[in-house]
Amino acid sequence: MVLAASGVEHDVLVSIAEPLLSDLPAVKRPEEPKSVYVGGDYRCQADCQNTHVALAFEVPGGWYEEKTAITVTVLQKLMGGGDWFCTGGVGKGLYSRLSLRILSHYHQIESFSAFNHIYNYSGLFGILATTSPDFASKAVDLAAGELLEVATPGNVTQGQLDRAKQAAKCKVLMDLESRAVACEDIGRQVMTYGERKPIEKFLNDVEAITLNDISSTAKNIISTPLTMASWGDVTNVPTYESVSRKFHSK
């Protein structure tokens, strides 16, 4: 159990918590089972005019592999994406790779975004697309192509990387302006690392990421088994085997 708070003096928090929690028994932290990633394919045919499809791979090591986790955070900002119609006005997200290379050219695609979910021992990184059913196969091809592109050295520029670094740092700093988010961050870090690491360490780690880090991390991720998930009109979603071969062809 971790008690976390933001915006209160430590001594005041202790004075409130101690009478409420001091009689709880001290127990040894149980060993957490390690995550086992297997990949796979899930399809759900639903009454929907669109096709939603995700391609994802494992982020090995999760938060316990800090360098990989932080590189993936920057990689997600680098690839970016979003909705075809941007409610934030013209230019919002314009410079991310998926916005420039996909959303600006294929209006059959309603949204096309990179995502990442990091847990203690594992994580997921991939692309989520929403498209018209007749364009589903092409959208999957485009997603696979973009993931392969960033895993190939020389396909990402220093300017793109610098922009992604700034975006990652801005997102974290803006989120931490919320006391609720800061409180959650304290709790999560103490549960994972046994301490809260200073924000300066995260900012320095982000700044230290190189182009080689991006391509090598992406290559390592897409070498893991593919996870595919689709919902809606899934009639034209390609087979799992055909998509997996794009990444794991002998």
Side-chain angles (χ1 to χ4, degrees):
M1 180 186 291
V2 171
L3 174 64
S6 178
V8 61
E9 291 295 331
H10 182 262
D11 291 343
V12 174
L13 178 63
V14 171
S15 70
I16 296 171
E18 203 163 36
L20 299 173
L21 303 175
S22 60
D23 61 343
L24 290 176
V27 296
K28 184 179 179 181
R29 180 170 177 167
E31 184 176 348
E32 300 169 15
K34 296 294 190 295
S35 303
V36 179
Y37 175 83
V38 295
D41 185 22
Y42 176 80
R43 297 165 189 243
C44 180
Q45 181 69 32
D47 184 13
C48 178
Q49 63 181 357
N50 288 326
T51 302
H52 305 268
V53 60
L55 305 185
F57 300 87
E58 185 185 23
V59 179
W63 282 119
Y64 284 116
E65 290 289 342
E66 280 188 80
K67 175 70 178 289
T68 298
I70 291 174
T71 302
V72 167
T73 300
V74 174
L75 179 59
Q76 190 270 328
K77 290 297 181 185
L78 175 80
M79 298 189 75
D83 296 331
W84 178 77
F85 176 74
C86 182
T87 56
V90 176
K92 182 182 178 185
L94 179 64
Y95 292 104
S96 71
R97 287 179 65 91
L98 299 186
S99 292
L100 287 171
R101 294 164 58 90
I102 304 298
L103 292 167
S104 296
H105 297 285
Y106 301 97
H107 292 173
Q108 302 93 329
I109 295 177
E110 289 194 11
S111 67
F112 203 84
S113 299
F115 67 88
N116 68 302
H117 299 289
I118 309 296
Y119 308 100
N120 277 0
Y121 296 102
S122 184
L124 287 174
F125 179 82
I127 292 177
L128 174 64
T130 299
T131 179
S132 57
D134 60 343
F135 202 73
S137 180
K138 178 64 174 178
V140 170
D141 286 344
L142 291 170
E146 290 302 312
L147 291 165
L148 289 164
E149 277 278 313
V150 294
T152 304
N155 286 338
V156 174
T157 68
Q158 188 63 49
Q160 290 172 338
L161 176 57
D162 290 342
R163 192 176 294 114
K165 288 181 183 180
Q166 294 304 316
K169 290 189 283 189
C170 286
K171 176 68 166 61
V172 170
L173 290 172
M174 290 179 68
D175 284 349
L176 289 176
E177 289 184 1
S178 162
R179 284 184 176 176
V181 174
C183 185
E184 180 181 348
D185 180 61
I186 294 168
R188 286 179 177 271
Q189 288 206 42
V190 171
M191 286 291 285
T192 300
Y193 302 123
E195 63 175 338
R196 190 194 189 197
K197 301 186 179 185
I199 187 62
E200 291 77 16
K201 181 181 187 306
F202 171 80
L203 299 177
N204 291 334
D205 288 346
V206 167
E207 196 56 43
I209 292 171
T210 66
L211 289 171
N212 182 64
D213 291 331
I214 291 293
S215 59
S216 62
T217 298
K219 183 177 180 180
N220 188 36
I221 288 171
I222 65 173
S223 69
T224 67
L226 168 69
T227 291
M228 278 183 69
S230 51
W231 184 91
D233 186 342
V234 300
T235 308
N236 295 320
V237 175
T239 65
Y240 177 87
E241 291 74 17
S242 68
V243 180
S244 182
R245 280 196 298 269
K246 296 178 185 295
F247 300 96
H248 305 129
S249 59
K250 298 287 185 177

